Amino acid sequence: MASKEEKIDLILRPFQYDNDTLHDIMGRMTREMEKGLKKETNPDATVIMLATYVRAVPDGTESGDFLALDLGGSNFRVLHVHIEKGAKDVRLQSDTYAIPEDIMTGSGDQLFDYIAECMDRFIDKIKMKGKKLALGFTFSFPCKQRGLDSATLIKWTKGFSASGVEGEDVAQLLRDAIKRRGNSDVEVVAVVNDTVGTMMACGLADHDCLIGLIVGTGSNACYMEKLENVEIWEGERNEPNQVVVNMEWGAFAEDGALDDLRTTYDREIDEHSINKGQQIYEKMISGMYMGELVRLVLLEMTKQMLVFGGRTSPDLETRGKFETKFVSQIEEEPIGDMGPTLKILHGLGLKHATESDCTTVKEVCRAVSTRAAHLVSAGIAAIINKMGRERVAVGVDGSVYKYHPHFKELMTNTIDKLTNNCDVKLMLSEDGSGKGAALVTAVACRLAGKAS
């Protein structure tokens, strides 16, 4: 009869990938990327590979004063970003404004008038009234980009329902609102996706930063692709012969491409999610689901009498109660110190948890987070091998990458194993949706020869 340790190992084994499996996942991602880039197969691709109209990264010659506007939730930010020629970083000041619920759910004109009004107040405050300013607009909702300065909202998410905006160009709605206030000094130059901003925010410090990655509540990646490989590109085919592609990779495997690797716990998470059958890759990786995966595994182990003496608690049986931040806290605790884990378990009503249970809980957390890091790394390695460069930097943002104690190290080691002689540097990206948007704008102004 199998021992307790063997039974635990059996439950955790599906989370563990060997080198061959990781190479296989990488191959599957590469095939899906190719499918998304080709005109004929793009409609059937799960990784939709959106061309962003961002054509270059900072080269150090950018300079001037720029505005950025970051709208992605119930608060929005206005930022002033000052860039010095040759500098490795920017000077930045910003204000955050709450959006009242009646404006989030009112008319589009009301929403954009409110944004323009707050922006005016900010410009007054920083004493830039009357100065011509180029603006980058990070708009973190699903959009179809028509040009660098044009993006049509596909659908509202995150509690917004302002009327008259879906199907419209959000950059134009912002321009109209700015005009209604009689302000002719602000020019909307770029609409930016937050993943692209993540990449660009690192571009000043390292001009080889050509990949952006987010591993937080959700997960996505973007990278610089040669124009000749982007059949779906609708813009001009001119210098620079490249464009940043926003992969929207969270949807990878919606067609079943990873079904052989999905566990019963992954399927249960999908079953109870608000977007069943969607964002399959993201559900195996991101912070929104990591804690819940651990909870489901612990519940199964409790049923098999492998932890907590077979006794659960109401919290352990409640969806969402095992938070992803617990995973980082448990894995961070020093060897031999079970205090933090016991505290978390006691907080979940598992007062009867033993030190041996703590060790098992830590094993479960490690299995789930390591798999996430391995899956992300296989995706990033697919991009790196496709790019075929000798050196590349990856700008990374998101709470999982930032706060998990071993995520960066796991990624570094795995990417190293999966890539062909490429010097890869992972960089923590600070403020992609603010600083990154301003840098997209600064590069666009440089390319247009009109830096402010």
Side-chain angles (χ1 to χ4, degrees):
M1 186 166 155
S3 69
K4 180 180 160 181
E5 283 71 27
E6 285 168 338
K7 286 177 180 172
I8 288 169
D9 184 55
L10 201 63
I11 290 171
L12 296 182
R13 203 170 298 156
F15 290 96
Q16 291 150 4
Y17 300 153
D18 60 19
N19 226 12
D20 288 347
T21 306
L22 289 171
H23 271 97
D24 188 21
I25 296 165
M26 191 170 72
R28 298 181 206 189
M29 176 66 88
T30 305
R31 284 193 292 279
E32 205 53 34
M33 288 167 73
E34 298 285 5
K35 202 169 159 184
L37 288 170
K38 290 192 165 55
K39 219 170 202 161
E40 200 183 322
T41 49
N42 174 275
D44 301 321
T46 59
V47 180
I48 55 176
M49 308 295 275
L50 301 167
T52 64
Y53 292 82
V54 174
R55 305 284 302 275
V57 292
D59 69 357
T61 65
E62 295 79 14
S63 65
D65 293 287
F66 301 90
L67 284 180
L69 190 60
D70 175 16
L71 176 66
S74 54
N75 293 316
F76 76 96
R77 289 185 307 154
V78 186
L79 304 95
H80 164 229
V81 179
H82 179 76
I83 305 170
E84 294 276 354
K85 194 176 272 192
K88 293 285 187 198
D89 208 349
V90 302
R91 286 210 312 274
L92 186 147
Q93 54 191 133
S94 67
D95 271 348
T96 301
Y97 302 88
I99 305 178
E101 197 169 331
D102 60 324
I103 287 181
M104 286 169 71
T105 57
S107 74
D109 280 357
Q110 274 177 298
L111 172 64
F112 283 94
D113 282 344
Y114 177 69
I115 290 169
E117 180 199 332
C118 294
M119 201 165 72
D120 258 5
R121 292 206 315 251
F122 179 75
I123 292 168
D124 269 346
K125 182 182 162 182
I126 63 169
K127 300 188 169 40
M128 287 257 175
K129 201 77 172 164
K131 183 172 166 62
K132 292 270 184 208
L133 291 164
L135 175 131
F137 184 16
T138 298
F139 187 74
S140 300
F141 299 91
C143 281
K144 167 73 175 156
Q145 201 111 10
R146 309 266 170 209
L148 185 61
D149 61 354
S150 169
T152 303
L153 175 66
I154 296 165
K155 65 170 191 287
W156 279 123
T157 54
K158 308 178 208 180
F160 280 78
S161 61
S163 60
V165 185
E166 289 182 352
E168 297 296 325
D169 181 351
V170 294
Q172 193 53 50
L173 293 175
L174 180 59
R175 280 186 203 105
D176 293 344
I178 291 168
K179 212 175 192 173
R180 283 195 290 274
R181 295 192 62 79
N183 183 348
S184 58
D185 297 321
V186 175
E187 184 190 356
V188 182
V189 167
V191 184
V192 185
N193 165 278
D194 55 353
T195 313
V196 178
T198 296
M199 178 186 105
M200 294 295 270
C202 291
L204 263 191
D206 191 324
H207 304 325
D208 284 333
C209 186
L210 298 172
I211 300 174
L213 169 67
I214 291 179
V215 196
T217 310
S219 184
N220 191 19
C222 70
Y223 72 104
M224 187 70 81
E225 179 59 278
K226 295 187 187 88
L227 217 45
E228 68 203 50
N229 296 333
V230 191
E231 279 187 17
I232 52 166
W233 173 244
E234 291 170 356
E236 289 181 37
R237 292 191 175 267
N238 54 5
E239 289 288 339
N241 284 304
Q242 56 183 17
V243 66
V244 176
V245 172
N246 164 23
M247 292 174 63
E248 292 294 340
W249 82 359
F252 176 48
E254 283 181 9
D255 61 351
L258 295 175
D259 276 5
D260 55 325
L261 298 173
R262 289 170 74 207
T263 64
T264 52
Y265 316 105
D266 293 310
R267 291 173 200 280
E268 190 167 339
I269 277 184
D270 183 45
E271 194 62 40
H272 291 107
S273 67
I274 54 167
N275 56 349
K276 188 178 164 188
Q278 296 172 15
Q279 302 296 100
I280 298 298
Y281 187 56
E282 181 172 85
K283 283 172 182 163
M284 297 170 81
I285 289 168
S286 79
M288 193 164 181
Y289 310 99
M290 198 181 278
E292 181 63 5
L293 274 168
V294 170
R295 185 189 74 83
L296 291 171
V297 175
L298 289 176
L299 213 50
E300 177 56 33
M301 286 184 171
T302 311
K303 275 185 200 152
Q304 292 191 30
M305 306 290 288
L306 301 171
V307 278
F308 314 134
R311 284 157 46 217
T312 68
S313 69
D315 275 358
L316 189 64
E317 299 205 20
T318 305
R319 266 196 294 280
K321 281 288 188 184
F322 197 104
E323 298 175 47
T324 293
K325 68 177 181 188
F326 296 163
V327 179
S328 293
Q329 288 164 4
I330 288 167
E331 287 195 66
E332 201 165 28
E333 85 185 356
I335 291 167
D337 176 11
M338 298 295 179
T341 305
L342 272 175
K343 192 177 169 191
I344 288 165
L345 296 176
H346 287 175
L348 292 167
L350 297 158
K351 301 266 195 261
H352 51 287
T354 63
E355 287 212 348
S356 162
D357 292 334
C358 290
T359 304
T360 305
V361 169
K362 202 171 198 169
E363 268 185 74
V364 175
C365 289
R366 194 178 301 125
V368 170
S369 65
T370 300
R371 182 187 71 162
H374 282 162
L375 283 166
V376 170
S377 302
I380 290 295
I383 298 171
I384 292 167
N385 289 337
K386 189 175 189 312
M387 290 173 88
R389 291 174 60 91
E390 282 180 15
R391 182 182 186 277
V392 70
V394 185
V396 195
D397 198 0
S399 50
V400 173
Y401 181 83
K402 257 187 199 165
Y403 302 121
H404 187 279
H406 312 302
F407 213 84
K408 180 179 181 177
E409 186 190 349
L410 284 164
M411 279 189 67
T412 303
N413 294 340
T414 310
I415 290 168
D416 194 42
K417 279 184 205 156
L418 297 175
T419 50
N420 322 318
N421 307 319
C422 180
D423 173 16
V424 182
K425 177 182 173 189
L426 299 180
M427 302 173 73
L428 181 63
S429 176
E430 297 291 350
D431 195 15
S433 47
K435 182 168 112 178
L439 283 163
V440 170
T441 307
V443 170
C445 289
R446 163 172 66 81
L447 293 177
K450 57 175 185 185
S452 65

